[in-house]
């Protein structure tokens, strides 16, 4: 098999995780960054491209790891060069721009993979598998939370005009999860505390999003960018009409650390070799090689952006916002 040549755009903190995954899969990796990538060359032995054109000329697949407002520019350039694309979440800063990327990829007959990596984390995979197996019955209530220390003060993450904001950046993971687990959404209600002032998000900040799904199920999402000492943590709870499951799991007083879920199975131990980022790119690479679909489709990437937009509209109005998945899907060429 010909060695896959992967070109990364961006040299921030997430780049090392992607490089390690690609190298584990035997790919040849090069990096382009406007701020330079010498630290990645030294640490991982990758090659550095001195321009975007040079990177595009020397790769088969482009992975975009840059701030959100640059995704459209880099994706469209890669697509125009005939390259397949992986793009970090969110796919773009607006649903219109996200749809433009998807339509351009389809017209150019190249693959586009939105990198919603939480779909590859074991606890979320297990929740999806158990729902699909009918072990909970029909989903009724999904609860998702995500909290971490806030990004560095003054960074673009706090500027909503630069596609920052806790809902668009952090909570988009759980917006995607809620739709993956409970189906399409018909209504979005959201609030943020403290509120954004003059386009700048406060630090720290908490947001909540409430989704009503077509099935009648509801999802409750909470995100927090907290103080610098706050450790990263997440939780998931799925309640159906025949059972429930949640993570982290409560521990029984008489067990020895092997927590059991509500349908009787033990959680598997995750090996460092099973990084969700590596699993994600391995699935993308396999889909590329075989022409098979990935668990994350271009439509999924667009829909997550649309849900974030609806949440911001609700925050601005103080009222629930009706949501039409059909209208969002209608933005894509068929």
């Amino acid at each position: 098999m010909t060695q896959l040549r992967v070109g990364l755009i961006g040299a921030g903190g997430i780049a090392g995780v992607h490089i390690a995954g690609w190298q584990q899969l035997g790919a040849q990796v090069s990096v382009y960054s406007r701020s330079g990538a010498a630290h990645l060359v030294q640490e991982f032995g990758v090659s550095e491209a001195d321009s975007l054109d040079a990177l595009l000329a020397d790769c088969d697949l482009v992975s975009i790891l840059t701030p959100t407002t640059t995704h459209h520019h880099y994706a469209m350039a890669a697509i125009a060069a005939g390259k397949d694309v992986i793009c970090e979440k969110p796919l773009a800063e607006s649903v219109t721009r996200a749809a433009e990327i998807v339509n351009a990829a389809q017209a150019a007959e190249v693959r586009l993979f939105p990198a919603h990596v939480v779909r590859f984390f074991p606890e979320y995979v297990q929740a999806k598998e158990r729902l699909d197996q009918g072990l909970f019955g029909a989903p009724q209530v999904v609860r998702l939370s995500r909290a971490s220390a806030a990004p560095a003060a003054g960074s673009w993450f706090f500027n909503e005009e630069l596609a920052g904001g806790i809902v668009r950046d952090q909570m988009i993971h759980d917006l995607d999860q809620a739709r993956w687990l409970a189906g399409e959404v018909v209504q979005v209600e959201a609030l943020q505390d403290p509120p954004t002032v003059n386009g700048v998000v406060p630090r720290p900040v908490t947001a909540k999003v409430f989704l009503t799904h077509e099935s009648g199920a509801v999802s409750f999402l909470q995100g927090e960018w907290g103080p610098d000492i706050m450790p990263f943590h997440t939780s998931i709870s799925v309640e159906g009409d025949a059972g429930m499951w949640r993570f982290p799991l409560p521990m029984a007083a008489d067990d020895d650390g092997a927590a059991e879920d509500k349908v009787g199975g033990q959680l598997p131990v995750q090996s460092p070799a099973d990084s969700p980022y590596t699993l994600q790119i391995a699935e993308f690479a396999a889909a590329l090689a075989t022409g098979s679909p990935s668990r994350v489709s271009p439509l999924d990437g667009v829909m997550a952006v649309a849900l974030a937009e609806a949440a911001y509209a609700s925050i601005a109005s103080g009222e629930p916002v009706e949501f039409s998945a059909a209208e969002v899907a209608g933005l894509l060429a068929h």
Side-chain angles (χ1 to χ4, degrees):
M1 181 181 293
T2 303
Q3 185 181 35
L4 184 64
R5 301 177 304 162
V6 179
L8 303 187
I9 303 177
I14 197 66
V17 177
H18 283 259
I19 292 170
W22 284 117
Q23 290 182 333
Q24 184 173 337
L25 297 175
Q28 173 186 319
V29 180
S30 56
V31 181
Y32 166 68
S33 172
R34 290 184 300 179
S35 59
H39 61 295
L40 297 176
V41 174
Q42 180 177 3
E43 182 175 356
F44 295 99
V46 298
S47 60
E48 181 177 6
D50 59 10
S51 69
L52 178 60
D53 288 342
L55 182 87
L56 295 175
D58 194 37
C59 71
D60 310 303
L61 171 69
V62 172
S63 183
I64 300 169
L65 313 177
T66 52
T68 303
T69 53
T70 67
H71 289 181
H72 183 275
H73 168 72
Y74 287 128
M76 297 298 272
I79 291 166
K83 308 300 180 181
D84 301 297
V85 175
I86 297 172
C87 185
E88 267 294 340
K89 59 78 197 167
L91 185 55
E93 70 271 29
S94 71
V95 67
T96 301
R97 301 269 276 182
E100 287 176 357
I101 295 172
V102 173
N103 290 336
Q106 181 173 330
E109 298 183 342
V110 299
R111 298 293 299 271
L112 172 66
F113 302 100
H116 282 274
V117 72
V118 175
R119 291 196 185 200
F120 297 84
F121 274 74
E123 55 269 32
Y124 298 89
V125 172
Q126 289 178 66
K128 175 65 171 173
E129 289 175 345
R130 284 159 168 72
L131 279 171
D132 290 347
Q133 293 165 6
L135 298 180
F136 309 139
Q140 295 182 325
V141 180
V142 175
R143 302 178 191 275
L144 299 157
S145 73
R146 188 167 303 271
S148 67
S155 69
W156 67 269
F157 291 101
F158 297 96
N159 189 329
E160 291 185 356
E161 293 181 0
L162 295 179
I166 187 170
V167 176
R168 184 181 289 108
D169 187 79
Q170 186 212 60
M171 295 182 71
I172 200 162
H173 284 301
D174 292 321
L175 290 170
D176 177 65
Q177 279 299 307
R179 177 175 167 266
W180 194 45
L181 296 170
E184 299 297 359
V185 174
V186 296
Q187 187 181 83
V188 180
E189 186 173 3
L191 53 89
Q192 178 184 299
D193 182 38
T196 295
V197 179
N198 296 325
V200 179
V201 180
R203 183 184 191 272
V205 65
T206 300
K208 297 180 180 181
V209 179
F210 310 92
L211 306 176
T212 303
H213 299 267
E214 287 181 356
S215 65
V218 292
S219 293
F220 300 92
L221 285 57
Q222 179 166 314
E224 182 177 2
W225 278 342
D228 292 341
I229 60 172
M230 175 175 283
F232 175 77
H233 61 278
T234 66
S235 69
I236 174 174
S237 170
V238 180
E239 302 173 22
D241 54 14
M244 68 171 292
W245 184 84
R246 64 180 180 266
F247 182 91
L249 300 177
M251 306 297 289
D254 58 349
D255 71 27
D256 58 0
E260 293 190 355
D261 65 30
K262 294 297 182 179
V263 293
Q266 288 189 349
L267 287 175
V269 176
Q270 183 182 1
S271 163
D274 294 329
S275 160
Y277 292 92
T278 302
L279 296 174
Q280 173 183 245
I281 62 178
E283 182 171 296
F284 291 166
L288 191 60
T290 63
S292 60
S294 163
R295 76 185 70 179
V296 189
S297 71
L299 174 61
D300 293 329
V302 176
M303 202 69 72
V305 175
L307 288 170
E309 280 193 1
Y312 281 115
S314 176
I315 290 170
S317 68
E319 300 289 339
V321 172
E322 301 305 309
F323 187 85
S324 171
E327 288 184 8
V328 177
L331 297 173
L332 307 186
H334 297 287

